[in-house]
Amino acid sequence: MSAKSPRKFLISKKVDAFFSDITSASIFTLRFFKEVFRPPYEFREVIKQCYQVGYRSLFLIALTGFITGIVFTKQSRPSLSEFGAQSWLPSLVAIAIIRALAPLVTALICSGKVGSNMGAELGSMKVTEQIDAMEVSSINPYKFLVVTRVLATTIMIPVLMCFTGFVAMMGAYLNVHANEQTSMTTFFIAAFDKISFLDVFSSLVKSIVYGFTIGMVGCYKGFNARNGTEGVGRAANSAVVLSMFLIFMEEILLVQVTNYLR
Amino acid sequence: MLEFNKGKDGEVIRIRDLYKSFGDLKVLDGVSLDVYDRENFVVLGRSGTGKSVLIKLISGLLTPDSGSVKVFGHEVSALNKYELMELRLQIGFSFQNSALYDSMSVRENLEFPLEHNARHLTRKQMKQSVEAVLDAVGLLQTINQMPSELSGGQRKRIGIARTLIIRPKIMLYDEPTSGLDPITSMEINNLINEVRERFNTTSIIITHDLTCAKTTGDKVAMLSNGKFIKQGTFEEVFKDNDERIKQFYEYKFID
């Protein structure tokens, strides 16, 4: 093998690599919209992935949601007590959970559990040539691996978000009931008094966006893994870091849009 | 619909002046070859000389920088996505590490290409097809096992079975005997010959194992520094006085 003259870069090696990565990520994302509507449809694999994403995250999501509900209620009580506004506690907790905590906590937990799993699984398939094996068997690996997983996260994260919201509200109720002996009916009437359709709708939209982001980032990082097992670890790690970062960026943006509509 | 006929000189694969680089690294530097119907063509060479790149270019997994790769007279890099998928149904690719799908059992590994490429088959026909091809590689008893439960030799055989299930006309073997003991290697060599007899395949075998080259190859080509330094029968190639060929042959037996 002979070496050519050193390669020239447009700006610098790192800056070129950064823009090249953004370009390939954009192409990778746009390809989803092209492939998702094109037959053949992999319904069975989508259902399998929905099971993986949904059912397997359920316990962790339930535990985290429950603790979030209890802790948030417990921490908010002293501040409200100072103003003698303890009766506002259910509505305050409901607004916080439904508008922000449920979608965000679900997305962050799932980006850790599901995103890293996708990054590692696809990364491992990439470095062991399983993705190439699909391609040479005339099977579209993007359609079978990426489209199905992104659809699964986009469908299941909103479902998990609803579940997180419910469990967190139950945690909040138990705390309120233990301290103020409030009945369940009174608690939930007070809680949902201040909740509008826009609150629920915006949370659903947010969780759809987060679900898409988690699936897409996990798959992108896995699909582009290289350098053996070290690359698989890096793919899993960067899938979590990048999807969390993007979720916070999207949260900022979507909150602005929702506040504008309110 | 593509037609899969031999070229005008009877060749199935024709490569001319093929160049491929990765960044600053020149891997293939003007490679040319012809592979004829039912021929076993062995590409020998040291690790990192671009042998695997050559078969990835043939299957369209990589695109050449310049030069021509024709399979059944079709220029691979000029085919659109659907034509390439059609062509790939005629090509079986046996990977160096078998590339079995870890999350699927042996049966599912073999059914997977059928489910996507032969949707007209009933479950019963698929089952028969899987069992027939597993029987052909002598591993019917592993049908319900997971890839992690198989030995290296068994994985190679299952990898070959998975490619055979779509009845390809061309087989590309990437290091079929690497990492195997001499007895298992010989079993794989015999299997390669059996596959040619039973399925009428034309094969390219990438290897650095001289026993494999001698046992399976009708024609052998020695790749060094991105170029073929000699092509011919095994005896013709290793009679050559080229230092690189001599070194390859001698070191094999020192090992």
Side-chain angles (χ1 to χ4, degrees):
Chain A
M1 267 164 259
S2 55
K4 288 197 293 192
S5 59
R7 198 172 162 191
K8 302 282 185 291
F9 296 101
L10 281 176
I11 303 170
S12 75
K13 192 177 176 181
K14 279 189 176 171
V15 176
D16 277 19
F18 175 74
F19 283 108
S20 151
D21 202 28
I22 287 188
T23 310
S24 62
S26 308
I27 293 169
F28 190 85
T29 308
L30 290 175
R31 192 175 166 192
F32 172 84
F33 298 102
K34 205 170 108 185
E35 301 271 9
V36 72
F37 299 109
R38 195 176 278 173
Y41 305 109
E42 305 283 355
F43 291 118
R44 213 171 62 175
E45 185 63 14
V46 172
I47 290 166
K48 186 181 157 195
Q49 291 304 324
C50 282
Y51 170 80
Q52 302 275 7
V53 173
Y55 182 71
R56 298 225 168 143
S57 309
L58 213 55
F59 176 72
L60 193 59
I61 288 286
L63 186 71
T64 319
F66 190 71
I67 293 169
T68 304
I70 291 177
V71 171
F72 187 78
T73 314
K74 205 171 167 58
Q75 296 287 4
S76 305
R77 182 175 290 106
S79 308
L80 288 178
S81 298
E82 275 183 37
F83 303 101
Q86 265 160 292
S87 60
W88 287 4
L89 200 52
S91 53
L92 173 78
V93 170
I95 288 171
I97 288 174
I98 292 169
R99 282 190 192 170
L101 290 175
L104 208 54
V105 166
T106 311
L108 294 178
I109 294 290
C110 286
S111 71
K113 189 163 168 62
V114 178
S116 64
N117 185 41
M118 282 181 182
E121 189 186 9
L122 296 197
S124 164
M125 288 184 80
K126 175 77 180 177
V127 301
T128 55
E129 295 180 311
Q130 291 176 48
I131 292 179
D132 284 345
M134 272 187 200
E135 202 153 345
V136 294
S137 305
S138 286
I139 298 162
N140 182 346
Y142 189 95
K143 200 167 183 67
F144 186 78
L145 298 172
V146 179
V147 172
T148 53
R149 280 165 174 75
V150 175
L151 276 178
T153 51
T154 310
I155 294 166
M156 291 313 291
I157 301 293
V159 175
L160 287 172
M161 187 275 290
C162 294
F163 183 69
T164 311
F166 169 74
V167 176
M169 286 302 291
M170 288 309 289
Y173 162 69
L174 285 181
N175 188 275
V176 170
H177 178 74
N179 287 279
E180 282 97 18
Q181 286 77 46
T182 314
S183 74
M184 191 181 264
T185 318
T186 314
F187 174 82
F188 279 101
I189 287 173
F192 289 109
D193 190 41
K194 301 284 180 208
I195 299 296
S196 65
F197 171 74
L198 185 64
D199 292 326
V200 178
F201 182 73
S202 68
S203 284
L204 270 175
V205 171
K206 270 192 213 175
S207 54
I208 289 171
V209 173
Y210 299 158
F212 181 81
T213 306
I214 291 165
M216 198 47 89
V217 171
C219 290
Y220 175 72
K221 288 294 176 186
F223 232 68
N224 289 287
R226 57 196 67 176
N227 301 333
T229 45
E230 190 195 344
V232 176
R234 210 179 300 128
N237 183 267
S238 56
V240 178
V241 174
L242 183 61
S243 60
M244 282 190 177
F245 172 75
L246 289 175
I247 285 166
F248 282 118
M249 291 294 112
E250 287 162 357
E251 171 75 15
I252 293 169
L253 194 73
L254 290 169
V255 164
Q256 302 305 317
V257 175
T258 315
N259 285 347
Y260 175 77
L261 292 173
R262 189 163 280 137
Chain B
M1 285 286 280
L2 292 181
E3 287 188 11
F4 302 106
N5 302 318
K6 287 174 266 182
K8 58 181 187 295
D9 299 325
E11 81 282 357
V12 172
I13 299 169
R14 170 160 282 178
I15 293 176
R16 289 289 177 269
D17 303 319
L18 192 63
Y19 290 84
K20 180 71 186 172
S21 301
F22 293 102
D24 298 333
L25 193 70
K26 196 178 273 185
V27 179
L28 294 180
D29 191 12
V31 166
S32 298
L33 66 85
D34 287 318
V35 185
Y36 295 93
D37 192 28
R38 296 192 80 240
E39 187 175 54
N40 278 355
F41 189 101
V42 173
V43 178
L44 267 173
R46 294 175 60 185
S47 300
T49 49
K51 303 186 298 294
S52 300
V53 171
L54 180 67
I55 53 172
K56 285 186 177 174
L57 288 162
I58 293 170
S59 61
L61 280 175
L62 295 172
T63 46
D65 295 340
S66 67
S68 160
V69 179
K70 284 187 176 173
V71 179
F72 291 115
H74 303 290
E75 186 66 52
V76 176
S77 57
L79 297 176
N80 66 34
K81 192 174 136 188
Y82 300 102
E83 289 171 336
L84 187 59
M85 285 176 97
E86 213 179 315
L87 178 69
R88 280 175 175 162
L89 290 176
Q90 307 299 321
I91 301 174
F93 196 124
S94 168
F95 286 85
Q96 184 172 358
N97 296 313
S98 310
L100 298 179
Y101 308 124
D102 295 328
S103 57
M104 300 181 194
S105 68
V106 168
R107 179 199 296 280
E108 289 163 342
N109 259 281
L110 269 69
E111 280 176 352
F112 188 62
L114 285 181
E115 283 168 356
H116 286 81
N117 296 309
R119 290 174 189 264
H120 59 280
L121 292 183
T122 62
R123 293 304 305 176
K124 193 180 171 191
Q125 287 170 320
M126 253 185 226
K127 189 171 174 261
Q128 283 169 347
S129 214
V130 167
E131 286 174 359
V133 85
L134 274 178
D135 195 34
V137 298
L139 284 176
L140 187 56
Q141 73 280 10
T142 63
I143 191 162
N144 292 317
Q145 284 180 250
M146 295 301 284
S148 56
E149 296 166 345
L150 304 172
S151 68
Q154 286 177 324
R155 289 174 70 92
K156 295 265 184 190
R157 281 169 174 269
I158 299 294
I160 293 171
R162 189 180 61 188
T163 63
L164 288 173
I165 199 137
I166 52 170
R167 296 287 189 268
K169 291 180 177 153
I170 298 169
M171 284 293 290
L172 305 174
Y173 298 93
D174 190 4
E175 305 277 11
T177 58
S178 72
L180 300 178
D181 64 83
I183 298 167
T184 313
S185 293
M186 192 49 88
E187 285 171 5
I188 296 288
N189 296 339
N190 294 336
L191 179 64
I192 292 171
N193 289 331
E194 274 171 41
V195 164
R196 191 247 302 260
E197 295 310 315
R198 204 160 160 173
F199 298 92
N200 293 316
T201 52
T202 304
S203 308
I204 294 186
I205 301 137
I206 300 294
T207 187
H208 51 241
D209 175 359
L210 289 183
T211 315
C212 173
K214 195 171 184 178
T215 318
T216 61
D218 300 315
K219 203 185 276 177
V220 173
M222 185 75 169
L223 192 64
S224 179
N225 290 329
K227 289 181 173 156
F228 280 140
I229 48 176
K230 182 82 182 168
Q231 287 191 43
T233 61
F234 185 86
E235 287 71 24
E236 282 166 0
V237 169
F238 285 96
K239 261 183 205 162
D240 198 278
N241 285 327
D242 189 295
E243 201 53 43
R244 291 162 294 184
I245 298 177
K246 275 179 154 179
Q247 204 181 24
F248 197 88
Y249 194 73
E250 283 160 11
Y251 273 109
K252 156 78 185 168
F253 293 104
I254 287 169
D255 282 349

